[in-house]
Amino acid sequence: MIRPARTDDLSHILRCIRELARYEKLEHELDLDEQRLHVHLFGEQPIVKALIAEDLDERVGFALFYTSYSTFKMRPCLYLEDLVVLPEHRGKGHGLRLLAAVAAEAEAMGCARLTWNVLDWNESAIRFYRSQGADLMSDWRSCHLTGEGLSKLAEFGRSGKGTTS
């Protein structure tokens, strides 16, 4: 079963995020905060949504997504930030059901597309996504601006020198 996340799912979501970071060898980047996640999912102005995969009333995975926008299509899009099925529950169709539920959300919202990233070494995920009809955009690269780089650029923007007004 796939259902919307509830507040009592926060510890499960955090566990899945830890598992994902471990799998991707990115545990050093974790800055987990249950209260911050609560505000982002369930606060006055939520900025993300999550779905929970259950198997016989046991939480086995989750998907987290948010709205983006296509200027070319002039329509909203959904960005799938994370899709995680706990290792002991993989191979049972939970990932497909989560992906399909997010796709249904995108269609219900009139989205032009559903977008996500996959690591180039994650061959099993690449095969899975391709088997669902996804196109891998080999001519695009993800860009991340974090830490000092983000702060320096933001300061330039705040100074008025980075704006036209």
Side-chain angles (χ1 to χ4, degrees), residues 124-164:
S124 63
I126 290 169
R127 280 191 306 276
F128 169 69
Y129 294 139
R130 280 191 170 139
S131 75
Q132 301 313 310
D135 295 319
L136 272 70
M137 311 294 289
S138 61
D139 53 341
W140 287 80
R141 299 288 183 263
S142 293
C143 298
H144 290 230
L145 187 58
T146 61
E148 186 178 335
L150 177 61
S151 295
K152 285 175 121 176
L153 190 58
E155 181 57 35
F156 179 68
R158 286 188 293 271
S159 72
K161 296 175 186 171
T163 63
T164 57

Side-chain angles (χ1 to χ4, degrees), residues 2 4 14 23 35 37 42 55 73-74 78 95-96 154 158 163:
I2 306 297
L14 291 172
Y23 178 76
Q35 183 57 37
L37 181 60
F42 306 110
D55 188 1
K73 301 292 184 184
M74 295 287 156
L78 276 190
L96 176 56
R158 286 188 293 271
T163 63

Side-chain angles (χ1 to χ4, degrees), residues 74-161:
M74 295 287 156
R75 290 176 40 203
C77 302
L78 276 190
Y79 186 83
L80 176 60
E81 180 67 30
D82 290 320
L83 189 153
V84 179
V85 175
L86 295 172
E88 62 271 23
H89 297 284
R90 292 185 184 145
K92 300 176 184 174
H94 301 302
L96 176 56
R97 283 189 282 281
L98 279 166
L99 186 61
V102 175
E105 291 270 340
E107 276 210 333
M109 293 175 58
C111 291
R113 69 176 166 260
L114 172 60
T115 304
W116 65 91
N117 289 324
V118 61
L119 290 166
D120 61 0
W121 56 260
N122 193 343
E123 289 298 325
S124 63
I126 290 169
R127 280 191 306 276
F128 169 69
Y129 294 139
R130 280 191 170 139
S131 75
Q132 301 313 310
D135 295 319
L136 272 70
M137 311 294 289
S138 61
D139 53 341
W140 287 80
R141 299 288 183 263
S142 293
C143 298
H144 290 230
L145 187 58
T146 61
E148 186 178 335
L150 177 61
S151 295
K152 285 175 121 176
L153 190 58
E155 181 57 35
F156 179 68
R158 286 188 293 271
S159 72
K161 296 175 186 171

Side-chain angles (χ1 to χ4, degrees), residues 24-113:
E24 293 180 348
K25 299 171 181 52
L26 294 171
E27 287 178 280
H28 62 281
E29 292 196 17
L30 287 176
D31 182 16
L32 301 179
D33 183 310
E34 187 170 326
Q35 183 57 37
R36 197 166 53 225
L37 181 60
H38 182 274
V39 169
H40 294 163
L41 277 167
F42 306 110
E44 278 186 42
Q45 295 183 322
I47 59 173
V48 294
K49 291 183 178 182
L51 298 174
I52 302 297
E54 289 184 328
D55 188 1
L56 302 173
D57 295 325
E58 180 181 2
R59 291 175 279 211
V60 299
F62 92 112
L64 187 132
F65 54 95
Y66 54 88
T67 306
S68 62
Y69 191 77
S70 169
T71 54
F72 287 8
K73 301 292 184 184
M74 295 287 156
R75 290 176 40 203
C77 302
L78 276 190
Y79 186 83
L80 176 60
E81 180 67 30
D82 290 320
L83 189 153
V84 179
V85 175
L86 295 172
E88 62 271 23
H89 297 284
R90 292 185 184 145
K92 300 176 184 174
H94 301 302
L96 176 56
R97 283 189 282 281
L98 279 166
L99 186 61
V102 175
E105 291 270 340
E107 276 210 333
M109 293 175 58
C111 291
R113 69 176 166 260

